[in-house]
PDB file of all heavy atoms in Angstrom:
ATOM      1  N   ALA A  12      -4.115  30.156   9.982  1.00 87.00           N
ATOM      2  CA  ALA A  12      -3.821  31.503  10.281  1.00 87.00           C
ATOM      3  C   ALA A  12      -4.872  32.098  11.203  1.00 87.00           C
ATOM      4  O   ALA A  12      -4.723  33.154  11.862  1.00 87.00           O
ATOM      5  CB  ALA A  12      -3.926  32.318   8.891  1.00 87.00           C
ATOM      6  N   GLU A  13      -6.075  31.490  11.137  1.00 87.00           N
ATOM      7  CA  GLU A  13      -7.191  32.030  11.932  1.00 87.00           C
ATOM      8  C   GLU A  13      -7.339  31.397  13.368  1.00 87.00           C
ATOM      9  O   GLU A  13      -8.265  31.679  14.118  1.00 87.00           O
ATOM     10  CB  GLU A  13      -8.604  31.949  11.253  1.00 87.00           C
ATOM     11  CG  GLU A  13      -8.659  32.577   9.894  1.00 87.00           C
ATOM     12  CD  GLU A  13      -8.407  34.032   9.951  1.00 87.00           C
ATOM     13  OE1 GLU A  13      -8.892  34.682  10.906  1.00 87.00           O
ATOM     14  OE2 GLU A  13      -7.712  34.561   9.019  1.00 87.00           O
ATOM     15  N   SER A  14      -6.404  30.524  13.663  1.00 90.00           N
ATOM     16  CA  SER A  14      -6.444  29.832  14.903  1.00 90.00           C
ATOM     17  C   SER A  14      -6.292  30.758  16.086  1.00 90.00           C
ATOM     18  O   SER A  14      -5.362  31.657  16.045  1.00 90.00           O
ATOM     19  CB  SER A  14      -5.350  28.746  14.991  1.00 90.00           C
ATOM     20  OG  SER A  14      -5.290  28.117  16.270  1.00 90.00           O
ATOM     21  N   PRO A  15      -6.959  30.647  17.149  1.00 91.00           N
ATOM     22  CA  PRO A  15      -6.896  31.479  18.429  1.00 91.00           C
ATOM     23  C   PRO A  15      -5.592  31.071  19.104  1.00 91.00           C
ATOM     24  O   PRO A  15      -5.143  31.815  20.086  1.00 91.00           O
ATOM     25  CB  PRO A  15      -8.086  30.975  19.243  1.00 91.00           C
ATOM     26  CG  PRO A  15      -8.437  29.696  18.724  1.00 91.00           C
ATOM     27  CD  PRO A  15      -8.161  29.726  17.206  1.00 91.00           C
ATOM     28  N   LEU A  16      -4.932  30.089  18.707  1.00 91.00           N
ATOM     29  CA  LEU A  16      -3.656  29.697  19.365  1.00 91.00           C
ATOM     30  C   LEU A  16      -2.496  30.514  18.815  1.00 91.00           C
ATOM     31  O   LEU A  16      -1.374  30.562  19.514  1.00 91.00           O
ATOM     32  CB  LEU A  16      -3.302  28.198  19.038  1.00 91.00           C
ATOM     33  CG  LEU A  16      -4.290  27.094  19.497  1.00 91.00           C
ATOM     34  CD1 LEU A  16      -3.735  25.748  19.228  1.00 91.00           C
ATOM     35  CD2 LEU A  16      -4.567  27.225  20.968  1.00 91.00           C
ATOM     36  N   VAL A  17      -2.533  31.189  17.680  1.00 90.00           N
ATOM     37  CA  VAL A  17      -1.510  31.922  17.075  1.00 90.00           C
ATOM     38  C   VAL A  17      -1.037  33.078  17.998  1.00 90.00           C
ATOM     39  O   VAL A  17      -1.965  33.899  18.456  1.00 90.00           O
ATOM     40  CB  VAL A  17      -1.964  32.497  15.749  1.00 90.00           C
ATOM     41  CG1 VAL A  17      -0.876  33.408  15.139  1.00 90.00           C
ATOM     42  CG2 VAL A  17      -2.195  31.372  14.776  1.00 90.00           C
ATOM     43  N   GLY A  18       0.223  33.224  18.157  1.00 89.00           N
ATOM     44  CA  GLY A  18       0.792  34.284  18.985  1.00 89.00           C
ATOM     45  C   GLY A  18       0.664  33.995  20.556  1.00 89.00           C
ATOM     46  O   GLY A  18       1.030  35.054  21.200  1.00 89.00           O
ATOM     47  N   ARG A  19       0.143  33.046  20.885  1.00 88.00           N
ATOM     48  CA  ARG A  19      -0.060  32.701  22.311  1.00 88.00           C
ATOM     49  C   ARG A  19       0.697  31.470  22.771  1.00 88.00           C
ATOM     50  O   ARG A  19       0.880  30.552  21.780  1.00 88.00           O
ATOM     51  CB  ARG A  19      -1.477  32.678  22.748  1.00 88.00           C
ATOM     52  CG  ARG A  19      -2.176  33.960  22.526  1.00 88.00           C
ATOM     53  CD  ARG A  19      -3.849  33.657  22.532  1.00 88.00           C
ATOM     54  NE  ARG A  19      -4.231  33.159  23.851  1.00 88.00           N
ATOM     55  CZ  ARG A  19      -4.592  33.997  24.773  1.00 88.00           C
ATOM     56  NH1 ARG A  19      -4.365  35.296  24.719  1.00 88.00           N
ATOM     57  NH2 ARG A  19      -4.967  33.475  26.041  1.00 88.00           N
ATOM     58  N   THR A  20       1.111  31.364  23.981  1.00 86.00           N
ATOM     59  CA  THR A  20       1.763  30.130  24.451  1.00 86.00           C
ATOM     60  C   THR A  20       0.668  29.141  24.976  1.00 86.00           C
ATOM     61  O   THR A  20      -0.462  29.449  25.098  1.00 86.00           O
ATOM     62  CB  THR A  20       2.665  30.366  25.707  1.00 86.00           C
ATOM     63  OG1 THR A  20       1.795  30.825  26.762  1.00 86.00           O
ATOM     64  CG2 THR A  20       3.773  31.472  25.308  1.00 86.00           C
ATOM     65  N   ILE A  21       1.097  27.892  25.075  1.00 78.00           N
ATOM     66  CA  ILE A  21       0.193  26.858  25.554  1.00 78.00           C
ATOM     67  C   ILE A  21      -0.340  27.135  26.932  1.00 78.00           C
ATOM     68  O   ILE A  21      -1.447  27.045  27.205  1.00 78.00           O
ATOM     69  CB  ILE A  21       0.964  25.505  25.594  1.00 78.00           C
ATOM     70  CG1 ILE A  21       1.412  25.169  24.303  1.00 78.00           C
ATOM     71  CG2 ILE A  21       0.002  24.482  26.153  1.00 78.00           C
ATOM     72  CD1 ILE A  21       0.318  25.104  23.189  1.00 78.00           C
ATOM     73  N   SER A  22       0.466  27.806  27.727  1.00 78.00           N
ATOM     74  CA  SER A  22       0.047  28.105  29.199  1.00 78.00           C
ATOM     75  C   SER A  22      -0.942  29.265  28.973  1.00 78.00           C
ATOM     76  O   SER A  22      -2.055  29.233  29.761  1.00 78.00           O
ATOM     77  CB  SER A  22       1.180  28.761  29.946  1.00 78.00           C
ATOM     78  OG  SER A  22       2.257  27.731  30.132  1.00 78.00           O
ATOM     79  N   GLN A  23      -0.850  30.204  28.133  1.00 80.00           N
ATOM     80  CA  GLN A  23      -1.829  31.266  28.000  1.00 80.00           C
ATOM     81  C   GLN A  23      -3.191  30.732  27.336  1.00 80.00           C
ATOM     82  O   GLN A  23      -4.249  31.239  27.663  1.00 80.00           O
ATOM     83  CB  GLN A  23      -1.286  32.373  27.050  1.00 80.00           C
ATOM     84  CG  GLN A  23      -0.122  33.162  27.685  1.00 80.00           C
ATOM     85  CD  GLN A  23       0.523  34.063  26.685  1.00 80.00           C
ATOM     86  OE1 GLN A  23       0.446  33.875  25.467  1.00 80.00           O
ATOM     87  NE2 GLN A  23       1.077  35.182  27.275  1.00 80.00           N
ATOM     88  N   ASN A  24      -2.970  29.711  26.423  1.00 79.00           N
ATOM     89  CA  ASN A  24      -4.233  29.210  25.941  1.00 79.00           C
ATOM     90  C   ASN A  24      -5.001  28.181  26.739  1.00 79.00           C
ATOM     91  O   ASN A  24      -6.098  27.760  26.329  1.00 79.00           O
ATOM     92  CB  ASN A  24      -3.913  28.523  24.509  1.00 79.00           C
ATOM     93  CG  ASN A  24      -3.692  29.498  23.460  1.00 79.00           C
ATOM     94  OD1 ASN A  24      -4.573  30.173  23.069  1.00 79.00           O
ATOM     95  ND2 ASN A  24      -2.528  29.430  22.738  1.00 79.00           N
ATOM     96  N   GLN A  25      -4.236  27.793  27.781  1.00 82.00           N
ATOM     97  CA  GLN A  25      -4.831  26.722  28.711  1.00 82.00           C
ATOM     98  C   GLN A  25      -5.400  25.551  27.880  1.00 82.00           C
ATOM     99  O   GLN A  25      -6.540  25.116  28.050  1.00 82.00           O
ATOM    100  CB  GLN A  25      -5.921  27.395  29.602  1.00 82.00           C
ATOM    101  CG  GLN A  25      -5.542  28.432  30.586  1.00 82.00           C
ATOM    102  CD  GLN A  25      -6.594  28.886  31.498  1.00 82.00           C
ATOM    103  OE1 GLN A  25      -7.746  29.032  31.086  1.00 82.00           O
ATOM    104  NE2 GLN A  25      -6.179  29.067  32.797  1.00 82.00           N
ATOM    105  N   LEU A  26      -4.511  25.090  27.105  1.00 84.00           N
ATOM    106  CA  LEU A  26      -4.888  23.976  26.119  1.00 84.00           C
ATOM    107  C   LEU A  26      -5.524  22.758  26.818  1.00 84.00           C
ATOM    108  O   LEU A  26      -6.460  22.161  26.499  1.00 84.00           O
ATOM    109  CB  LEU A  26      -3.688  23.602  25.242  1.00 84.00           C
ATOM    110  CG  LEU A  26      -4.023  22.952  23.904  1.00 84.00           C
ATOM    111  CD1 LEU A  26      -4.803  23.805  23.034  1.00 84.00           C
ATOM    112  CD2 LEU A  26      -2.594  22.567  23.240  1.00 84.00           C
ATOM    113  N   PHE A  27      -4.880  22.373  27.971  1.00 84.00           N
ATOM    114  CA  PHE A  27      -5.376  21.167  28.640  1.00 84.00           C
ATOM    115  C   PHE A  27      -6.656  21.489  29.395  1.00 84.00           C
ATOM    116  O   PHE A  27      -7.493  20.688  29.427  1.00 84.00           O
ATOM    117  CB  PHE A  27      -4.231  20.577  29.549  1.00 84.00           C
ATOM    118  CG  PHE A  27      -4.619  19.264  30.259  1.00 84.00           C
ATOM    119  CD1 PHE A  27      -4.517  18.114  29.535  1.00 84.00           C
ATOM    120  CD2 PHE A  27      -5.069  19.344  31.502  1.00 84.00           C
ATOM    121  CE1 PHE A  27      -4.861  16.963  30.194  1.00 84.00           C
ATOM    122  CE2 PHE A  27      -5.447  18.123  32.112  1.00 84.00           C
ATOM    123  CZ  PHE A  27      -5.313  16.933  31.529  1.00 84.00           C
ATOM    124  N   ASN A  28      -6.584  22.522  30.138  1.00 84.00           N
ATOM    125  CA  ASN A  28      -7.819  22.824  31.004  1.00 84.00           C
ATOM    126  C   ASN A  28      -9.040  23.105  30.252  1.00 84.00           C
ATOM    127  O   ASN A  28     -10.139  22.759  30.647  1.00 84.00           O
ATOM    128  CB  ASN A  28      -7.549  24.008  31.960  1.00 84.00           C
ATOM    129  CG  ASN A  28      -6.423  23.711  32.847  1.00 84.00           C
ATOM    130  OD1 ASN A  28      -6.198  22.567  33.299  1.00 84.00           O
ATOM    131  ND2 ASN A  28      -5.659  24.699  33.340  1.00 84.00           N
ATOM    132  N   ARG A  29      -8.883  23.726  29.071  1.00 86.00           N
ATOM    133  CA  ARG A  29     -10.093  24.149  28.263  1.00 86.00           C
ATOM    134  C   ARG A  29     -10.436  23.055  27.361  1.00 86.00           C
ATOM    135  O   ARG A  29     -11.567  22.902  27.005  1.00 86.00           O
ATOM    136  CB  ARG A  29      -9.757  25.471  27.596  1.00 86.00           C
ATOM    137  CG  ARG A  29      -9.716  26.651  28.594  1.00 86.00           C
ATOM    138  CD  ARG A  29      -9.314  27.878  27.891  1.00 86.00           C
ATOM    139  NE  ARG A  29     -10.359  28.231  26.938  1.00 86.00           N
ATOM    140  CZ  ARG A  29     -10.201  29.381  26.036  1.00 86.00           C
ATOM    141  NH1 ARG A  29      -9.088  30.115  26.132  1.00 86.00           N
ATOM    142  NH2 ARG A  29     -11.161  29.665  25.201  1.00 86.00           N
ATOM    143  N   TYR A  30      -9.470  22.328  26.711  1.00 85.00           N
ATOM    144  CA  TYR A  30      -9.745  21.549  25.532  1.00 85.00           C
ATOM    145  C   TYR A  30      -9.304  20.061  25.788  1.00 85.00           C
ATOM    146  O   TYR A  30      -9.541  19.208  24.896  1.00 85.00           O
ATOM    147  CB  TYR A  30      -9.029  22.071  24.312  1.00 85.00           C
ATOM    148  CG  TYR A  30      -9.385  23.343  23.906  1.00 85.00           C
ATOM    149  CD1 TYR A  30      -8.540  24.540  24.224  1.00 85.00           C
ATOM    150  CD2 TYR A  30     -10.630  23.746  23.279  1.00 85.00           C
ATOM    151  CE1 TYR A  30      -8.829  25.818  23.822  1.00 85.00           C
ATOM    152  CE2 TYR A  30     -10.949  24.972  22.915  1.00 85.00           C
ATOM    153  CZ  TYR A  30     -10.044  26.083  23.169  1.00 85.00           C
ATOM    154  OH  TYR A  30     -10.391  27.468  22.843  1.00 85.00           O
ATOM    155  N   GLU A  31      -8.751  19.726  27.017  1.00 86.00           N
ATOM    156  CA  GLU A  31      -8.286  18.396  27.239  1.00 86.00           C
ATOM    157  C   GLU A  31      -7.337  17.880  26.189  1.00 86.00           C
ATOM    158  O   GLU A  31      -7.385  16.821  25.651  1.00 86.00           O
ATOM    159  CB  GLU A  31      -9.447  17.400  27.332  1.00 86.00           C
ATOM    160  CG  GLU A  31     -10.252  17.604  28.612  1.00 86.00           C
ATOM    161  CD  GLU A  31      -9.540  16.798  29.762  1.00 86.00           C
ATOM    162  OE1 GLU A  31      -9.008  15.735  29.574  1.00 86.00           O
ATOM    163  OE2 GLU A  31      -9.643  17.413  30.926  1.00 86.00           O
ATOM    164  N   LEU A  32      -6.377  18.806  25.777  1.00 87.00           N
ATOM    165  CA  LEU A  32      -5.324  18.465  24.766  1.00 87.00           C
ATOM    166  C   LEU A  32      -3.973  18.706  25.456  1.00 87.00           C
ATOM    167  O   LEU A  32      -3.722  19.646  26.139  1.00 87.00           O
ATOM    168  CB  LEU A  32      -5.496  19.287  23.521  1.00 87.00           C
ATOM    169  CG  LEU A  32      -6.690  19.147  22.593  1.00 87.00           C
ATOM    170  CD1 LEU A  32      -6.639  20.031  21.427  1.00 87.00           C
ATOM    171  CD2 LEU A  32      -6.831  17.578  22.149  1.00 87.00           C
ATOM    172  N   ASN A  33      -3.131  17.797  25.083  1.00 87.00           N
ATOM    173  CA  ASN A  33      -1.644  18.009  25.395  1.00 87.00           C
ATOM    174  C   ASN A  33      -0.858  18.279  24.158  1.00 87.00           C
ATOM    175  O   ASN A  33      -1.022  17.564  23.214  1.00 87.00           O
ATOM    176  CB  ASN A  33      -1.044  16.809  26.159  1.00 87.00           C
ATOM    177  CG  ASN A  33      -1.458  16.610  27.541  1.00 87.00           C
ATOM    178  OD1 ASN A  33      -1.665  17.700  28.247  1.00 87.00           O
ATOM    179  ND2 ASN A  33      -1.644  15.449  28.081  1.00 87.00           N
ATOM    180  N   LEU A  34       0.011  19.282  24.177  1.00 88.00           N
ATOM    181  CA  LEU A  34       0.997  19.523  23.158  1.00 88.00           C
ATOM    182  C   LEU A  34       2.244  18.760  23.427  1.00 88.00           C
ATOM    183  O   LEU A  34       2.911  18.919  24.365  1.00 88.00           O
ATOM    184  CB  LEU A  34       1.362  21.073  23.049  1.00 88.00           C
ATOM    185  CG  LEU A  34       2.326  21.420  21.966  1.00 88.00           C
ATOM    186  CD1 LEU A  34       1.760  21.288  20.630  1.00 88.00           C
ATOM    187  CD2 LEU A  34       2.819  22.847  22.171  1.00 88.00           C
ATOM    188  N   LEU A  35       2.538  17.822  22.440  1.00 87.00           N
ATOM    189  CA  LEU A  35       3.627  16.944  22.737  1.00 87.00           C
ATOM    190  C   LEU A  35       4.825  17.359  21.859  1.00 87.00           C
ATOM    191  O   LEU A  35       5.980  17.106  22.260  1.00 87.00           O
ATOM    192  CB  LEU A  35       3.316  15.502  22.295  1.00 87.00           C
ATOM    193  CG  LEU A  35       2.144  14.861  23.073  1.00 87.00           C
ATOM    194  CD1 LEU A  35       1.950  13.414  22.612  1.00 87.00           C
ATOM    195  CD2 LEU A  35       2.320  14.908  24.599  1.00 87.00           C
ATOM    196  N   ALA A  36       4.727  18.002  20.772  1.00 88.00           N
ATOM    197  CA  ALA A  36       5.805  18.319  19.860  1.00 88.00           C
ATOM    198  C   ALA A  36       5.348  19.476  18.881  1.00 88.00           C
ATOM    199  O   ALA A  36       4.268  19.636  18.615  1.00 88.00           O
ATOM    200  CB  ALA A  36       6.308  17.094  19.076  1.00 88.00           C
ATOM    201  N   VAL A  37       6.399  20.199  18.470  1.00 90.00           N
ATOM    202  CA  VAL A  37       6.222  21.388  17.514  1.00 90.00           C
ATOM    203  C   VAL A  37       7.294  21.277  16.532  1.00 90.00           C
ATOM    204  O   VAL A  37       8.431  21.032  16.778  1.00 90.00           O
ATOM    205  CB  VAL A  37       6.285  22.682  18.244  1.00 90.00           C
ATOM    206  CG1 VAL A  37       5.975  23.836  17.244  1.00 90.00           C
ATOM    207  CG2 VAL A  37       5.265  22.821  19.383  1.00 90.00           C
ATOM    208  N   SER A  38       6.846  21.562  15.210  1.00 89.00           N
ATOM    209  CA  SER A  38       7.800  21.566  14.093  1.00 89.00           C
ATOM    210  C   SER A  38       7.507  22.994  13.385  1.00 89.00           C
ATOM    211  O   SER A  38       6.422  23.288  13.060  1.00 89.00           O
ATOM    212  CB  SER A  38       7.548  20.472  13.003  1.00 89.00           C
ATOM    213  OG  SER A  38       8.373  20.770  11.929  1.00 89.00           O
ATOM    214  N   ARG A  39       8.627  23.678  13.143  1.00 87.00           N
ATOM    215  CA  ARG A  39       8.533  25.075  12.596  1.00 87.00           C
ATOM    216  C   ARG A  39       9.552  25.041  11.475  1.00 87.00           C
ATOM    217  O   ARG A  39      10.728  25.020  11.672  1.00 87.00           O
ATOM    218  CB  ARG A  39       8.781  26.152  13.617  1.00 87.00           C
ATOM    219  CG  ARG A  39       8.711  27.529  13.020  1.00 87.00           C
ATOM    220  CD  ARG A  39       8.769  28.600  14.193  1.00 87.00           C
ATOM    221  NE  ARG A  39       7.500  28.487  15.013  1.00 87.00           N
ATOM    222  CZ  ARG A  39       7.428  29.058  16.258  1.00 87.00           C
ATOM    223  NH1 ARG A  39       8.504  29.708  16.816  1.00 87.00           N
ATOM    224  NH2 ARG A  39       6.308  28.927  16.891  1.00 87.00           N
ATOM    225  N   ARG A  40       8.889  25.328  10.273  1.00 83.00           N
ATOM    226  CA  ARG A  40       9.861  25.395   9.117  1.00 83.00           C
ATOM    227  C   ARG A  40      10.877  26.516   9.120  1.00 83.00           C
ATOM    228  O   ARG A  40      10.340  27.687   9.487  1.00 83.00           O
ATOM    229  CB  ARG A  40       9.038  25.493   7.850  1.00 83.00           C
ATOM    230  CG  ARG A  40       9.748  25.463   6.582  1.00 83.00           C
ATOM    231  CD  ARG A  40       8.916  25.412   5.329  1.00 83.00           C
ATOM    232  NE  ARG A  40       8.167  24.116   5.258  1.00 83.00           N
ATOM    233  CZ  ARG A  40       8.618  22.986   4.823  1.00 83.00           C
ATOM    234  NH1 ARG A  40       9.903  22.980   4.302  1.00 83.00           N
ATOM    235  NH2 ARG A  40       8.032  21.884   4.860  1.00 83.00           N
ATOM    236  N   GLY A  41      12.088  26.236   8.913  1.00 77.00           N
ATOM    237  CA  GLY A  41      13.118  27.290   8.891  1.00 77.00           C
ATOM    238  C   GLY A  41      13.691  27.731  10.226  1.00 77.00           C
ATOM    239  O   GLY A  41      14.596  28.488  10.160  1.00 77.00           O
TER     240      GLY A  41
END
């Protein structure tokens, strides 16, 4: 719940450029 990723897209978070992470898949209950 406290993650800075909440409410933002991967592009907005610059996940790869800032953290060297790739998002490969997402699972959302319901």
Side-chain angles (χ1 to χ4, degrees):
E13 304 300 321
S14 173
L16 304 181
V17 173
R19 296 165 62 86
T20 67
I21 297 305
S22 300
Q23 291 171 334
N24 280 301
Q25 295 186 321
L26 201 60
F27 184 80
N28 294 334
R29 294 175 61 184
Y30 303 102
E31 284 279 320
L32 292 178
N33 280 330
L34 178 69
L35 300 183
V37 180
S38 174
R39 178 169 296 164
R40 183 172 294 278

